[in-house]
Amino acid sequence: LYFHITWPYRNPAICAGVLSLLMSVLFVWLIYPHYHTRYRRIMQILVITLFSAGIPILIMTACRSACLAFIIMIVFSIWKYYYQLKKITMKHRSRKNIKYWLGGTILCVSFIYGMYQLRPMSANGRLLIWKVTAQMIQDRPLTGFGAEGFKQYYMHYQAAYLKTKGTEQEKYIAGNNHLVYNEPLRMAVEYGFLGMIIYIWFIYILFKAPVHTTIVSASARAVLITGTVWGLFSYPNEAFPILAILLIAISCLSSHDKNILCAIYPTAYIYKRFKVMLTAIICALGIILFNQYKAHHTFYNIYQSTTSANLESFIYRCSTLENNLKNETFFWMYYCNALNEMKYDQTLQSKIQNWERLYPTPETYIIKAESLERMGQEKEAEKLYRLASYMVPSRQKARSKLAILYKKQGKMKEALELANEILTEKVKNYSFETYRIHTALERIFENQIK
């Protein structure tokens, strides 16, 4: 896929998220009447210019979640700062509130429907993810799956769902996914309902804070509204710039509100009581992080200097980093791919378990199955090829490997049916991999496929 605007990020979602958060501050400066600076006129011109330039960029990103979050922030801010701050009678305020809440709700619902119609397949993909996520929550509602638990277990749940209940459309749109696209659901999956309740309570504390007459608190609230709504359809926990901006906003708002300070105060109290012990822990963590940095830098240098001619040296040097990078997905991916290239099957079978533990994908099980097939364990390889195909049914690589395995086992009927299915079905994303698969199947089953 190619996008018009991504900035330094791999897709426009994070770019649009950062932009919508920053533009939330600009919008507050546009509508907020209670700030005075020496260069007020210059500031107004600058804010209007930046805001006007940002709108078309935000639209060009085509990120629906960021646009929706920005619109909801605008509606909320206008209501909050134009009607709650004014000295209006309760009766008049009530009529105004109902009118503007109703108008804002209609606007948001219309916008959501329009965004769904713009890219229905993408929206249906999110609905599939949330449907499978609900099954994960149902299985462990109290304890959850732990930190990073969604990444570690979701693809297995998706495979089980698509194998037994998935519709043809769901099988077509399902992808290699490790993101929830909804922060409350992620908290429920990883930390159980208690985690989700704490998350919702913290959000409630932020928005329950009384309105202040400072532009800092108003800007911080706008940023948090945008970030919260964006988090209902995206993944702020995976985007460091988003987390950094939200943390700054929380700090700014908490400095003006005692309720938020009370929520944060226990941490400060604990630190005061156990200052020496906590300082020692912080120093120990600093040493660990420094060692992690050294290991990352070493691996980067190893990878940059590796070619197909010196894979054996790459494998040896990776083996020395196993303890320091035992929880790093990228490390095990490159390591296992190198082991597979060199056909070190016994070692691969033990190391690939770490990849399975951290970030299972169809490619994980295809590589593991290829290794088992070389070791003569064809039954186990067949099971893993099937698991990989159930995880992402629209991807053809696992099924093509399975068709070739069936031919090797003499199951020509199953092999031909599977090969014919692959060659005649609608391809979701045609790529070089697809071309290689089709070419290989046409060569292997020449004159046998009708």
Side-chain angles (χ1 to χ4, degrees):
L1 294 175
Y2 296 93
F3 303 106
H4 295 296
I5 297 176
T6 61
W7 287 355
Y9 315 110
R10 62 183 178 181
N11 63 53
I14 300 176
C15 164
V18 171
L19 183 60
S20 64
L21 294 180
L22 297 178
M23 288 184 63
S24 299
V25 178
L26 294 176
F27 179 77
V28 171
W29 277 69
L30 283 176
I31 68 169
Y32 204 84
H34 302 296
Y35 70 92
H36 301 280
T37 67
R38 184 177 178 182
Y39 304 103
R40 181 174 181 180
R41 180 65 61 183
I42 296 175
M43 287 296 298
Q44 286 179 333
I45 294 172
L46 180 62
V47 168
I48 292 172
T49 302
L50 292 174
F51 187 82
S52 302
I55 291 293
I57 297 175
L58 184 61
I59 294 172
M60 287 176 65
T61 62
C63 180
R64 296 158 298 171
S65 56
C67 293
L68 176 63
F70 188 62
I71 288 174
I72 290 179
M73 181 279 302
I74 289 175
V75 173
F76 183 87
S77 296
I78 291 175
W79 169 73
K80 196 79 173 177
Y81 301 112
Y82 269 133
Y83 294 97
Q84 277 205 341
L85 287 177
K86 287 185 177 181
K87 304 299 181 181
I88 311 170
T89 63
M90 289 302 296
K91 183 177 180 181
H92 183 59
R93 182 190 299 178
S94 178
R95 289 200 302 268
K96 289 282 187 180
N97 285 350
I98 292 173
K99 182 174 70 173
Y100 283 98
W101 271 113
L102 182 61
T105 302
I106 294 173
L107 177 64
C108 291
V109 170
S110 301
F111 183 81
I112 291 172
Y113 178 76
M115 291 296 98
Y116 175 84
Q117 293 298 325
L118 181 65
R119 292 169 60 189
M121 293 295 286
S122 174
N124 288 334
R126 302 279 174 94
L127 294 175
L128 170 63
I129 293 168
W130 295 339
K131 189 185 297 184
V132 176
T133 302
Q135 181 61 54
M136 297 178 70
I137 296 172
Q138 183 178 335
D139 285 356
R140 295 191 187 179
L142 298 179
T143 59
F145 291 85
E148 302 294 312
F150 184 85
K151 293 179 181 178
Q152 296 167 6
Y153 293 94
Y154 174 79
M155 289 303 293
H156 289 285
Y157 273 85
Q158 178 170 284
Y161 174 81
L162 294 175
K163 179 181 178 181
T164 57
K165 303 176 185 177
T167 64
E168 289 303 314
Q169 184 193 53
E170 289 175 331
K171 291 177 181 179
Y172 181 76
I173 63 178
N176 181 24
N177 174 67
H178 294 84
L179 299 170
V180 191
Y181 295 98
N182 185 285
E183 278 300 286
L185 288 181
R186 183 184 71 83
M187 296 297 292
V189 167
E190 297 186 351
Y191 305 105
F193 279 122
L194 179 61
M196 185 172 67
I197 290 170
I198 293 174
Y199 173 81
I200 294 173
W201 172 80
F202 188 69
I203 296 298
Y204 170 75
I205 290 294
L206 291 177
F207 295 132
K208 180 178 176 290
V211 180
H212 302 286
T213 56
T214 67
I215 194 166
V216 173
S217 59
S219 301
R221 187 190 299 276
V223 167
L224 292 170
I225 292 167
T226 304
T228 301
V229 177
W230 188 75
L232 295 177
F233 305 96
S234 208
Y235 41 92
N237 67 302
E238 297 290 329
F240 177 77
I242 300 290
L243 293 177
I245 295 171
L246 293 177
L247 181 59
I248 293 170
I250 291 172
S251 300
C252 292
L253 193 60
S254 63
S255 66
H256 291 82
D257 188 83
K258 64 180 182 180
N259 291 327
I260 299 173
L261 284 174
C262 288
I264 300 171
Y265 179 74
T267 305
Y269 177 77
I270 292 171
Y271 179 75
K272 184 177 179 181
R273 297 284 293 181
F274 302 96
K275 185 180 294 185
V276 176
M277 184 175 68
L278 290 176
T279 301
I281 292 172
I282 291 170
C283 291
L285 289 175
I287 294 171
I288 292 171
L289 287 174
F290 179 72
N291 290 333
Q292 284 290 99
Y293 165 76
K294 287 174 59 180
H296 279 78
H297 187 66
T298 302
F299 178 74
Y300 173 78
N301 290 332
I302 293 170
Y303 178 73
Q304 289 295 105
S305 61
T306 298
T307 63
S308 57
N310 62 351
L311 278 179
E312 192 165 346
S313 173
F314 174 77
I315 291 170
Y316 170 75
R317 296 174 74 181
C318 282
S319 67
T320 64
L321 297 173
E322 288 181 15
N323 289 332
N324 288 327
L325 299 177
K326 62 183 178 181
N327 292 319
E328 301 295 342
T329 302
F330 70 90
F331 170 75
W332 295 108
M333 285 181 173
Y334 288 116
Y335 191 9
C336 291
N337 273 292
L339 290 169
N340 190 46
E341 284 286 322
M342 296 298 292
K343 296 182 172 57
Y344 293 168
D345 294 319
Q346 293 292 344
T347 305
L348 175 60
Q349 289 302 314
S350 64
K351 305 304 179 187
I352 204 169
Q353 294 176 17
N354 293 286
W355 187 357
E356 290 181 70
R357 171 177 60 87
L358 295 169
Y359 202 83
T361 68
E363 191 65 26
T364 312
Y365 295 105
I366 290 172
I367 290 175
K368 188 174 184 179
E370 288 174 341
S371 175
L372 289 171
E373 190 178 343
R374 290 194 295 266
M375 295 169 67
Q377 301 179 36
E378 294 181 353
K379 287 289 185 183
E380 289 77 7
E382 180 183 344
K383 292 178 183 177
L384 292 179
Y385 283 138
R386 287 195 174 279
L387 174 60
S389 69
Y390 288 135
M391 283 181 167
V392 185
S394 62
R395 191 182 177 196
Q396 298 181 330
K397 186 174 181 179
R399 285 179 291 149
S400 69
K401 297 281 185 182
L402 190 56
I404 296 169
L405 177 61
Y406 282 152
K407 184 178 185 296
K408 179 181 176 182
Q409 294 174 333
K411 301 177 181 178
M412 288 305 298
K413 181 181 178 182
E414 292 89 339
L416 289 171
E417 286 179 355
L418 201 50
N420 185 65
E421 175 187 289
I422 293 170
L423 292 171
T424 58
E425 71 183 4
K426 180 182 177 182
V427 178
K428 182 179 178 181
N429 294 312
Y430 198 94
S431 63
F432 288 113
E433 178 185 276
T434 311
Y435 173 77
R436 288 192 292 268
I437 289 170
H438 288 196
T439 303
L441 291 178
E442 288 168 353
R443 185 186 73 252
I444 292 170
F445 296 97
E446 186 178 7
N447 300 324
Q448 294 177 288
I449 299 176
K450 297 180 181 179

